[in-house]
Amino acid sequence: MLSGVQRMLAGLVGDFAATVILGVSLIMGYLSFNVLFLIWLERKVSAHIQRRYGPMEVGAHGSLQTVADMVKLLGKQILTPVAADRFVYILAPVLVFLPTLCLASLIPLAGAEAFAEQPYGLLVIIALSGISVLAIFMAGWASNNKYAVLGGMRSVAQVIAYEIPVMLAALSVVLIAQSLNLRDIVAAQARGVPFILLQPVAGLLYFIGITAETNRAPFDIPEAESELVGGFHTEYSGMRFALFFFAEYTNMLVLGALGATLFLGGWLGPWLPGPVWLLLKAYAVIFVMMWMRWTFPRLRFDQLMTFAWKLLIPLALVNLVVTALVLGGGR
Amino acid sequence: MRTSTEAPATDPLDTYVLNMGPQHPSTHGVLRLKLTLQGERVLDVDPVIGYSHRAHEKMAENRTYAQFFPNTSRQDYLSGLIYNVAWAEAVEKLAGIAVPERALVARVILSEFNRIASHLLWVGAFLMDLGAATPFLYSFDDRETILGLLETVTGSRLTYGTARFGGLSKDLDGDFPRRARAVLAKLRARWPEFEGLIEGNVIFRQRTRGVGVMSLAQCHAWGVTGPMLRASGVAYDVRKAEPYGAYPRFSFDIPTRPEGDVFARYMVRIAEMQQSVRIIEQALDALPAGPILTEGSIGVKKRLKPPAGTLYYAVESARGAYGIVIVSEGGTEPWRAKFRTPSYANLAAMQDVMRGTMVADAVAILGSADVVMPEIDR
Amino acid sequence: MKLARQVWAGARSLLIGLGITGRHLVRRAVTLQYPHEKPDVSRWGGPIELVTFPETGTHDCIACNACTRICPSDCFTIEGARAEGAKKMRATKFLLDFSTCSLCGLCIDVCPTDTLKYSERFDEAMYMRPDTVNDLLVPFAGERIQPPS
């Protein structure tokens, strides 16, 4: 059915344009649905952990509650601080969101197709996730608010520190799969076992890393009532504020899907279609992240940085070296 | 107005004042803290109080002794029953009114339930300050059972009007011991959960151990009482130091810890809840039959005129030593009533403790003080 | 190595915590879904109302104003009259300002005819301030001033 639509579009606007239009609309459409779903899931998971029900009134078991909240948010007055750097201020939420969108197109959904395939897919992904760091700082700086700048700086430091274990964990997987192409990595798991069994330490490091990168508890100092003041999004209200959270939930999905691809076997699985398996595994990763959020208190910022630099990164390096030695010794 | 003797000795251009305003995400009540910060370090703390001042002490001068009962619960709404009973006991001592045995034991049971409920709320709010939202819901689940139990006895959940001079206005019904024991069983099932979820948690320990240490000298200087004092090593509890009511009949320990940090205060309050459970069990076993209120409707149908004199009466509330001073000139209304509330001294001590700490710890330290603003402002 | 043991102990504590919340995740909720389910208020001490005695089918307020005098918050406005040939007065107007009432129960204790009690009402929200004044004689509206026999 999909290829039929694609052929029809190609007839109208040409092959390349058809792929682009189809890809962007499918991805944006699904990501919008994903955000609604994840917000609902978060509220339900937190509610049941706390022995209550969560949203129940709007829609069956509160399924339409997020829609109602979005409508309310759309109606809110959008305030722009007078002394804010206007262009940067408006650009920042968009720029936080764009790299995630690009990442979404790079993750292979099923054996034959990723929306945009790259021979060095993993490298491109890691490079793109660095851009959102800039955007967070832009948001904090452009707000012209002492505390937003502080929050932005902390966010940047946190993301940079935790991206390194993510990269090193992904590299350990690359060593085993002998390729930076995500499809090859999944194919290697199809031949053998999911890499989580071969690289449990890397899997754990990756998971902790993406929890910190998406600003989830216990690493949510930048976005929680940040002890006393709000974080980099203090001065954002209404739909712009929503865009930051759109970006956060999308990031969770994309990084979760990446983790599923690297460690849990991507689209592999019996009798359900490939993309469904990928999404199931990604949502399982996200579910664990939500479970953690409602269980643990927050880490203090200096403890957070100590944890990354003094524990996770050495552990990731050791894991990489041991993997390399084991693989080299087997030759 | 500040009373601290240490002034910040740094370049004024290097410091800035951060206002933790009267409106708070945390549940401390209306408190304003003016923090002078240098980077991440707190140089000075200036609490501004008075936002909930409602002139309780002045109201006491214009109401008869019995008419003051509603005010008592509203001073510290989390230890409302303890304060209610304390006023009754203070006036009973002043006027020489006898209290039947059943009422004495019932007062102990209800007060200890109130203490557990207050500590449960503190556990929830404190963990929420640290970022864990879930223990709040678990402790409130237990608090609901306690409040429901107290509702069946007194008719109220938070602010009680149940004490009278010479006992309690409503009796405990025959089924009460069974219901109370069911609540205690549910509480006992909760302790291991708190231990696994909170006390053993490495993140919680890292946020609270060694943070906000209060030395013994500081406790003495500021007049700190209650769990904060006991967490700094002093085994002082008004129920043992100046025994009142039926407390001398029951055996219980005073939990203390030597460290004096936030973690110690948490452990002390958990241990206090367990000791309260112990007291309630003994009291339920020892609950005698008999009247719940001395005959004569003292203070209600017959106005009370205590003899002239001054009385100081202290009880142990959930926050520390609560003292009532009544000056009577023989009339139907007190000449003067003064209330020494524990949170006042505890908050004042925070000025000293929070100096020199990191701003990230400030919230944890303030939370560990378990301060209730309405009783500070009265 | 000491560090490895510390890390393992820390990780174990986190897993125990997850286990506890995980157990709660799959258990039934303990909350009451309010508008659809109502709580048990049989022991709740709600806004004050007049007792309907079974023997007479009506209240026994003699408008003595003992409750007015003892109320710490001046909630009561009571007027009474004596019917022709009756021995006792009876209330003709009985207003209680619930916005100042603190449910202390002193009025219930002082009443010489025990004609006041707590009700079981709890959802008494209203839109206008004057609506907070409860007229306790409303359930007895059809009555003329007749003393109990």
Side-chain angles (χ1 to χ4, degrees), chain A residues 54 209 219 224 260 275:
Chain A
F219 307 106

Side-chain angles (χ1 to χ4, degrees), chain B residues 274-289:
Chain B
Q274 294 166 340
Q275 291 300 314
S276 288
V277 169
R278 200 172 144 196
I279 298 176
I280 297 175
E281 279 175 340
Q282 295 172 54
L284 285 172
D285 290 333
L287 187 66

Side-chain angles (χ1 to χ4, degrees), chain A residues 63-308:
Chain A
S63 39
L64 295 178
Q65 179 74 45
T66 320
V67 176
D69 288 337
M70 282 295 163
V71 170
K72 178 211 86 169
L73 212 54
L74 280 170
K76 282 211 153 170
Q77 180 186 18
I78 299 187
L79 305 160
T80 312
V82 154
D85 189 336
R86 231 195 128 73
F87 178 64
V88 178
Y89 180 79
I90 296 177
L91 185 62
V94 178
L95 212 54
V96 167
F97 178 65
L98 274 181
T100 315
L101 192 55
C102 299
L103 288 184
S105 67
L106 285 169
I107 304 210
L109 293 177
E113 41 213 83
F115 278 106
E117 187 172 319
Q118 301 277 333
Y120 303 105
L122 194 54
L123 199 56
V124 177
I125 287 177
I126 289 172
L128 279 174
S129 39
I131 297 183
S132 54
V133 171
L134 272 175
I136 291 173
F137 189 67
M138 278 166 62
W141 177 260
S143 302
N144 193 44
N145 180 336
K146 191 166 20 175
Y147 308 122
V149 169
L150 279 175
M153 290 201 303
R154 283 189 180 170
S155 233
V156 165
Q158 179 178 323
V159 171
I160 291 177
Y162 280 89
E163 221 167 79
I164 301 178
V166 168
M167 279 197 300
L168 293 174
L171 274 180
S172 312
V173 164
V174 165
L175 280 183
I176 299 183
Q178 300 279 308
S179 165
L180 280 169
N181 187 332
L182 286 175
R183 263 208 302 146
D184 291 346
I185 293 177
V186 177
Q189 293 183 72
R191 285 195 300 273
V193 286
F195 286 149
I196 188 76
L197 296 172
L198 295 177
Q199 289 274 314
V201 176
L204 187 63
L205 288 170
Y206 179 86
F207 179 70
I208 298 176
I210 61 170
T211 312
E213 275 207 59
T214 49
N215 288 332
R216 301 281 303 178
F219 307 106
D220 62 347
I221 286 272
E223 80 181 22
E225 300 89 49
S226 204
E227 303 110 38
L228 308 170
V229 293
F232 60 90
H233 54 69
T234 316
E235 296 283 353
Y236 285 88
S237 59
M239 211 51 211
R240 295 201 189 123
F241 179 73
L243 203 54
F244 275 117
F245 280 89
F246 197 95
E248 177 181 317
Y249 281 107
T250 313
N251 219 6
M252 275 168 70
L253 176 68
V254 168
L255 290 176
L258 182 64
T261 309
L262 290 174
F263 292 99
L264 296 174
W267 68 81
L268 301 169
W271 58 266
L272 285 173
V276 175
W277 267 117
L278 180 65
L279 287 174
L280 277 178
K281 292 174 192 175
Y283 284 130
V285 172
I286 294 177
F287 171 73
V288 178
M289 281 167 71
M290 288 183 178
W291 190 3
M292 271 176 44
R293 174 183 181 176
W294 297 105
T295 309
F296 303 135
R298 238 172 267 140
L299 279 174
R300 212 175 55 206
F301 189 67
D302 58 309
Q303 292 166 346
L304 202 151
M305 300 304 285
T306 312
F307 184 57

Side-chain angles (χ1 to χ4, degrees), chain B residues 19 22 37 132 135-136 165 174 181 193 240 264 373 376:
Chain B
N19 186 47
L37 301 175
F136 182 75
F165 303 126
R181 283 186 224 275
E193 272 195 14
K240 294 261 194 194
M373 288 314 294
I376 295 183

Side-chain angles (χ1 to χ4, degrees), chain A residues 49-52 146-147 150 154 218 221 225 227-229 293-303, chain B residues 16 18 20 25 35 40 129-134 137-138 197 201 203-204 206-207 211 359-361 363:
Chain A
I49 287 181
Q50 295 166 354
R51 303 295 292 277
R52 53 189 181 87
K146 191 166 20 175
Y147 308 122
L150 279 175
R154 283 189 180 170
I221 286 272
E225 300 89 49
E227 303 110 38
L228 308 170
V229 293
R293 174 183 181 176
W294 297 105
T295 309
F296 303 135
R298 238 172 267 140
L299 279 174
R300 212 175 55 206
F301 189 67
D302 58 309
Q303 292 166 346
Chain B
Y16 63 103
L18 183 64
M20 248 167 109
L35 300 166
E40 282 276 326
D129 283 348
L130 293 181
T134 318
L137 275 297
Y138 295 161
L197 189 58
N201 190 305
I203 302 175
F204 177 76
Q206 284 210 317
R207 292 273 324 249
V211 169
V359 87
D361 291 329
V363 170

Side-chain angles (χ1 to χ4, degrees), chain C residues 105-127:
Chain C
L106 287 169
C107 53
I108 300 176
D109 286 348
V110 80
C111 179
T113 54
D114 289 326
T115 202
L116 288 174
K117 71 172 169 85
Y118 286 120
S119 66
E120 287 181 14
R121 308 198 299 266
F122 63 95
D123 43 5
E124 298 256 297
M126 59 276 291
Y127 289 98

